[in-house]
Amino acid sequence: LFFAVLMGKLNILGQSVSSFLQQTLPGMSNEFTQFICIGVFGYAFAHSPAIQFVQEQLSIFGSYNPGIVGLLIIALITGLALVGIHPIISISSIAISFSMKGSVLAGLPLAIALLAGYTMYFFLSPFSSMVMIMAGLSKKNVYEIGLRLNWQ
């Protein structure tokens, strides 16, 4: 916006915004639906009795090494992604569950574990967009690209 004003190209910016709103945005209904569902799931999970049960179970990990808990989180996100559960759902659930005070992982270590789990999903899950694109370009099965090539 700053450079458009500086260069006097506000009309091009207006055309681009109009094109985005009229052509691109209506085609993104799948993404909107996904993120709305994730938000609703996270809100419902945070306000349900299930969160207390999960937090009680996680309190068992309070005596464990944070590194081991971090690896378990990465494995959980990756495992759920391999069976088709989107990692944003599992990440939001884990983040809400670990938000309690006195948690073995909090702040930066938790964020690193969640990000590492998402990275593992991105490279291994047959449902990842990158794996699907690579499988299409190489004309191979998504399981060959995601799992087999990354574990050799």
Side-chain angles (χ1 to χ4, degrees):
L1 181 62
F2 174 73
F3 289 113
V5 171
L6 187 67
M7 298 177 72
K9 304 279 184 176
L10 282 176
N11 58 346
I12 295 174
L13 178 67
Q15 291 172 354
S16 297
V17 169
S18 175
S19 171
F20 176 78
L21 293 174
Q22 293 175 0
Q23 296 172 1
T24 307
L25 198 58
M28 298 176 74
S29 61
N30 290 340
E31 290 84 358
F32 283 130
T33 304
Q34 178 184 13
F35 283 106
I36 287 171
C37 289
I38 291 167
V40 168
F41 178 80
Y43 182 83
F45 183 67
H47 291 86
S48 72
I51 187 71
Q52 293 168 344
F53 172 76
V54 171
Q55 287 178 341
E56 288 170 5
Q57 300 306 314
L58 289 174
S59 67
I60 297 170
F61 293 113
S63 61
Y64 289 166
N65 183 339
I68 293 172
V69 175
L71 290 175
L72 289 173
I73 289 173
I74 294 168
L76 178 65
I77 293 169
T78 306
L80 291 173
L82 288 175
V83 297
I85 297 175
H86 199 278
I88 298 297
I89 294 173
S90 55
I91 287 171
S92 62
S93 301
I94 292 169
I96 290 169
S97 300
F98 273 92
S99 66
M100 65 183 189
K101 293 182 180 174
S103 177
V104 66
L105 278 183
L108 188 59
L110 178 61
I112 291 171
L114 296 174
L115 185 59
Y118 188 83
T119 303
M120 293 298 289
Y121 147 77
F122 194 70
F123 288 117
L124 297 178
S125 177
F127 306 102
S128 165
S129 59
M130 193 231 10
V131 170
M132 287 183 190
I133 290 171
M134 293 301 294
L137 291 174
S138 64
K139 301 203 181 352
K140 292 186 178 181
N141 190 331
V142 289
Y143 295 102
E144 290 182 69
I145 298 294
L147 294 173
R148 193 165 137 209
L149 291 180
N150 284 312
W151 288 105
Q152 288 181 353

